[in-house]
Amino acid sequence: MLTPRSRPGFTLAELLIALAAAAVLLAVIASIALRQQRLFAELADDAATTGRLREAIAMLPIDLRAVSPASGDIREARDTSLEIRATIASAIVCDTGGHTLTLGPALSGTDTFAAFLATVAAGDTAWVLDTRDAAEGWIPRRVTSVSSTTAARCANGGPVLSGPFTAIVVALDTLLPGRAGTVVRVTRPVRYSLYRSSDGSWQLGARDWNTTSLRLNTIQPVAGPFLPPSAGGLVFSYFDSNGAAVTNPVDPRAGLALVRVSARAQANRAARVLGAASTERRADSLDVAVFLHNRR
Amino acid sequence: MNDQPARAGARFRRGFSIVELVVAMMLVAIGLLSLVGANTVLVRRRNEARQRLTAVMATANRVAQLSSGPCVAVSGAADGSSGMAETWSVRSEPNATREIVDSVHFGARPAHGFVVRTRLPC
């Protein structure tokens, strides 16, 4: 067929067939690659949505678990906001003197006598466990100043320690009934709520306590964005030990035993691959139930 | 076939035949199909992970709810979304304690499940 003179090459028909085949193949590859990219984007979006929800339902129980509704730790409770007294420190009293409490030291290891989540400051509330009667109530005192001292040992009844240690001394506004060995916890208000941020999205925000102005600071975002309140972006609900809804959770006698937090968020893009050609943005929700220990 | 051995390298190159081309395209297509197959696995794993999270949250919430409840023996069952089934029970134990057991099953083929057992003072 090939003579020495003829130049080898494609015929027009061959070229057309090859081009058409290549075009089909490229189109298939392109569509698969596009779909692939969309799927990955949707999966990432989906994971981010669940991640936002998990942030909210992981953050809130930390403060909520330490709350004692019977002691009035619930300052305000609504369906989209919750203001509580968060416990920032707890300690065994090492020594007392007039209006002051010397707290046991925070030691590494298991034999510690104090735990601090934040530095105790003037304006915080110290709650001294009153062991004088069987009811064991917490007596609140306002912290007026905080200093530290070096002590060699604690008073009788307090932690048994040898050697000098640094201890925190908390001055209180009025005399207290506590003595060495009693338990004290320090609280500071914090308020969580679903709020609309400046970009129009709904965020879970926290307002912590300003110990100087004795007011709540401006709101700071914690997690989000979530759906608006009308779509159940973040809902707090309150129940007693029988599972009945509590209408006034602030009341120490209301018997609040369980707080449920439900968060709802929406994906950023429509789930066209994951949701089988759906044009809707997927909404996802998670809820967490927090069982309150410190109740009567 | 190769009747010009001396000049074959220099002047002639045999192109691909259409059969070769089709075979090559089929190979590419099989590669792409396996990619699509991997996607199915990806989506299935993601759904499983979501189900697992739902089941874990359901169990944790159930235990919290039962812990907040009175110290009496109860049991119950509930069905959740996407084939999740949950059963729980509270049993009184000596020394004013109670045992809470919650078991969850979810997913079909393979079915997953776990049991949470905890003991609390009354």
Side-chain angles (χ1 to χ4, degrees), chain A residues 142-160:
Chain A
R142 197 162 64 80
V143 176
T144 52
S145 71
V146 181
S147 58
S148 79
T149 184
T150 306
R153 54 182 218 87
C154 289
N156 279 345
V160 179

Side-chain angles (χ1 to χ4, degrees), chain B residues 24-38:
Chain B
M25 278 170 60
M26 273 174 68
L27 285 176
V28 172
I30 288 168
L32 286 174
L33 277 178
S34 71
L35 205 65
V36 174

Side-chain angles (χ1 to χ4, degrees), chain B residues 7-94:
Chain B
R7 300 165 75 177
R11 294 292 287 273
F12 302 145
R13 288 223 182 91
R14 254 178 57 74
F16 296 111
S17 75
I18 195 85
V19 176
E20 285 167 341
L21 201 68
V22 167
V23 169
M25 278 170 60
M26 273 174 68
L27 285 176
V28 172
I30 288 168
L32 286 174
L33 277 178
S34 71
L35 205 65
V36 174
N39 284 354
T40 320
V41 176
L42 202 68
V43 172
R44 196 186 303 143
R45 289 280 175 273
R46 169 248 179 212
N47 289 342
E48 255 176 48
R50 193 66 186 76
Q51 274 181 356
R52 199 172 288 270
L53 174 64
T54 311
V56 167
M57 290 307 302
T59 309
N61 289 349
R62 183 72 60 197
V63 170
Q65 185 220 321
L66 294 173
S67 307
S68 75
C71 220
V72 292
V74 286
S75 63
D79 290 332
S81 58
S82 53
M84 194 180 81
E86 190 192 3
T87 56
W88 66 87
S89 69
V90 179
R91 201 177 58 190
S92 289
E93 293 285 313

Side-chain angles (χ1 to χ4, degrees), chain A residues 75-167:
Chain A
R75 286 165 59 96
E76 191 191 279
R78 297 173 190 270
D79 56 354
T80 58
S81 70
L82 178 60
E83 189 174 322
I84 56 173
R85 282 198 303 246
T87 301
I88 58 158
S90 53
I92 310 276
V93 175
C94 174
D95 207 346
T96 56
H99 290 202
T100 64
L101 283 180
T102 306
L103 306 182
L107 306 171
S108 57
T110 49
D111 293 335
T112 186
F113 298 100
F116 298 94
L117 291 176
T119 313
V120 179
D124 288 338
T125 310
W127 300 77
V128 183
L129 185 65
D130 185 7
T131 50
R132 289 173 304 179
D133 63 14
E136 293 200 349
W138 292 92
I139 297 170
R141 290 286 183 268
R142 197 162 64 80
V143 176
T144 52
S145 71
V146 181
S147 58
S148 79
T149 184
T150 306
R153 54 182 218 87
C154 289
N156 279 345
V160 179
L161 292 157
S162 57
F165 55 89
T166 309

